[in-house]
Amino acid sequence: MKDYHRVNTENFQQFLDDFSERHPEDFHVVQTDNARFHRSKDLVVPDNVMLLYQPPYSPQVNSSERLWQWSKNEIANEIFPSLEALKATLNRLFLSKPKAFFASLTHRQFISDALQKIGMLPTTS
């Protein structure tokens, strides 16, 4: 996957395309904020991806907030000599955990419930 250094429509498009191609058999719901590049008319969302826009000013529904809370707690009180050292530490930290760990941090039941109501996820009994 590409290293995305800038937040703009072009890089978000590349991210969506890369993500879609990397996991072609799955349907993905990507929760985003209302940043301009997330809503660009030039954006072409792949067929196996759906963008779910969170309400403005609502960090409590933003899955990534839980992820950053965990990572900040893991590196609290450390001093990094450079941005590259911080990135390397975070990379090691993220790679040290299984996929299920991140799913447990970022899963939001209200998203699953909404997708079930519109028939995009099977109902559970």
Side-chain angles (χ1 to χ4, degrees), residues 23-76:
H23 306 282
E25 301 301 318
D26 299 321
F27 183 77
H28 308 279
V29 178
V30 177
Q31 183 177 344
T32 69
D33 58 20
N34 287 291
R36 189 176 309 178
F37 64 91
H38 288 147
R39 293 187 164 274
S40 171
K41 64 182 180 203
D42 297 328
L43 202 60
V44 178
V45 181
D47 289 340
N48 65 336
V49 174
M50 178 179 128
L51 299 181
L52 176 66
Y53 299 99
Q54 68 189 34
Y57 311 107
S58 55
Q60 70 278 12
V61 299
N62 186 338
S63 298
S64 63
E65 291 295 331
R66 293 179 76 191
L67 179 66
W68 294 122
Q69 173 89 32
W70 166 76
S71 61
K72 285 190 286 186
N73 287 340
E74 292 293 311
I75 62 171

Side-chain angles (χ1 to χ4, degrees), residues 3-123:
D3 190 9
Y4 310 97
H5 289 297
R6 298 185 61 108
V7 287
N8 58 30
T9 301
E10 181 182 319
N11 279 342
F12 188 54
Q13 180 70 64
Q14 187 63 55
F15 166 78
L16 290 175
D17 293 342
D18 290 348
F19 184 66
S20 172
E21 289 171 17
R22 191 169 197 189
H23 306 282
E25 301 301 318
D26 299 321
F27 183 77
H28 308 279
V29 178
V30 177
Q31 183 177 344
T32 69
D33 58 20
N34 287 291
R36 189 176 309 178
F37 64 91
H38 288 147
R39 293 187 164 274
S40 171
K41 64 182 180 203
D42 297 328
L43 202 60
V44 178
V45 181
D47 289 340
N48 65 336
V49 174
M50 178 179 128
L51 299 181
L52 176 66
Y53 299 99
Q54 68 189 34
Y57 311 107
S58 55
Q60 70 278 12
V61 299
N62 186 338
S63 298
S64 63
E65 291 295 331
R66 293 179 76 191
L67 179 66
W68 294 122
Q69 173 89 32
W70 166 76
S71 61
K72 285 190 286 186
N73 287 340
E74 292 293 311
I75 62 171
N77 300 318
E78 288 189 43
I79 298 174
F80 299 93
S82 67
L83 181 58
E84 292 309 313
L86 172 60
K87 286 180 181 181
T89 299
L90 286 172
N91 192 45
R92 280 192 303 278
L93 182 62
F94 280 55
L95 291 174
S96 73
K97 296 290 184 186
K99 203 178 198 182
F101 172 79
F102 294 104
S104 73
L105 280 181
T106 60
H107 176 77
R108 292 289 194 234
Q109 190 60 46
F110 74 91
I111 295 173
S112 297
D113 293 346
L115 291 172
Q116 285 176 345
K117 284 187 182 200
I118 63 171
M120 296 193 74
L121 279 180
T123 56

